[in-house]
Amino acid sequence: NGKVNIAHIGIGNRGEQIINDFDKTGLVNVVALCDVDMGAPHTQKIMNKFPKAKRFQDFRQLLDKAGKEFDAVTVATP
């Protein structure tokens, strides 16, 4: 389909801005989201925006379980 399948690690605060910037291009499919605090309001907002994306709290599990499903990854962690 010409779109890049992408995973995002760190989806709150700055991560949210990065995710939204990529989404605005229309060139990516968000296939996985990862954050240590999946219950925070700012992470819930992103998860609700991409309900089909797989969710992980540990980046190692994301890489092990979904690593073959994406072409690129963003990392926005402190």
Side-chain angles (χ1 to χ4, degrees), residues 39-65:
H42 55 276
T43 55
Q44 290 288 316
K45 180 178 173 184
I46 289 297
M47 289 189 298
N48 290 336
K49 186 172 182 175
F50 303 101
K52 293 181 181 179
K54 293 183 179 179
R55 300 168 183 190
F56 300 90
Q57 284 189 296
D58 187 319
F59 76 92
R60 294 167 290 200
Q61 289 180 354
L62 174 132
L63 296 173
D64 288 344
K65 295 180 181 178

Side-chain angles (χ1 to χ4, degrees), residues 6-69:
I6 195 165
H8 295 286
I9 299 172
I11 63 172
N13 300 321
R14 178 67 178 130
E16 178 184 0
Q17 295 168 345
I18 293 168
I19 293 165
N20 286 330
D21 286 343
F22 272 98
D23 189 47
K24 287 177 194 174
T25 69
L27 299 173
V28 297
N29 293 319
V30 177
V31 297
L33 300 168
C34 180
D35 199 284
V36 295
D37 189 1
M38 297 299 262
H42 55 276
T43 55
Q44 290 288 316
K45 180 178 173 184
I46 289 297
M47 289 189 298
N48 290 336
K49 186 172 182 175
F50 303 101
K52 293 181 181 179
K54 293 183 179 179
R55 300 168 183 190
F56 300 90
Q57 284 189 296
D58 187 319
F59 76 92
R60 294 167 290 200
Q61 289 180 354
L62 174 132
L63 296 173
D64 288 344
K65 295 180 181 178
K68 294 183 180 185
E69 297 177 30

